[in-house]
Amino acid sequence: MGSPPIEDVIELQQLLARYAVGMTKDDVDAVVEVFTPDGTYSAFGDTYALRDFPSLVAAAPKGLFLVGPPVLELDGDAGTGEQPLCFVEQTTHDMRIGYYTDTYRRTAAGWRLATRSMTFLRKSGVRDSGRAHDPTRPAPSA
């Protein structure tokens, strides 16, 4: 694959920035808007549908979602990518680091996330999809 069109790269960078800013501001509507209607988020060994996002975001710790530029592979109206993340919890300044693995789809409304999966980088050197950080984290709906 060659380099993706710069217009698509900029649009996807802005889309992913809206996700990070939405999460940082605890704005679940902004976060939901960056996904396709059938979009999913995977972490903690579970996959969450878009309808689960309000309760999932409500249960998540609050803080800064600092992301780096994504690496993108685009092919027409679909693509994949990875993006590094450093999350800093607001009240303790504890950090979680890792990266997102994404799939993207171009829709009538522009590029959207179809899937987003989190991989955490542990102090032990382990890389995993995580475990519940908060016992109030909801289970995905059926």
Side-chain angles (χ1 to χ4, degrees), residues 73-122:
E73 295 286 336
L74 304 179
D75 186 12
D77 292 337
T80 60
E82 293 180 312
Q83 184 179 40
L85 165 73
C86 176
F87 170 75
V88 182
E89 201 275 330
Q90 183 173 344
T91 59
T92 65
H93 287 191
D94 288 343
M95 290 191 305
R96 295 185 188 129
I97 58 173
Y99 58 93
Y100 294 116
T101 302
D102 301 326
T103 62
Y104 314 108
R105 194 174 332 138
R106 191 189 320 257
T107 70
W111 283 102
R112 294 293 184 264
L113 276 164
T115 64
R116 175 155 265 204
S117 177
M118 182 67 201
T119 299
F120 294 96
L121 303 177
R122 306 291 181 190

Side-chain angles (χ1 to χ4, degrees), residues 9-67:
V9 170
I10 292 169
E11 185 178 345
L12 280 161
Q13 286 176 336
Q14 288 297 299
L15 180 82
L16 300 175
R18 285 195 302 275
Y19 175 93
V21 170
M23 289 297 292
T24 297
K25 293 172 73 176
D26 195 24
D27 182 350
V28 71
D29 292 332
V31 173
V32 167
E33 190 173 305
V34 305
F35 282 87
T36 60
D38 62 345
T40 63
Y41 174 78
S42 299
F44 320 114
D46 290 316
T47 299
Y48 295 86
L50 213 53
R51 68 182 170 274
D52 295 324
F53 278 36
S55 59
L56 183 63
V57 171
K62 308 307 176 223
L64 174 66
F65 281 73
L66 183 62
V67 293

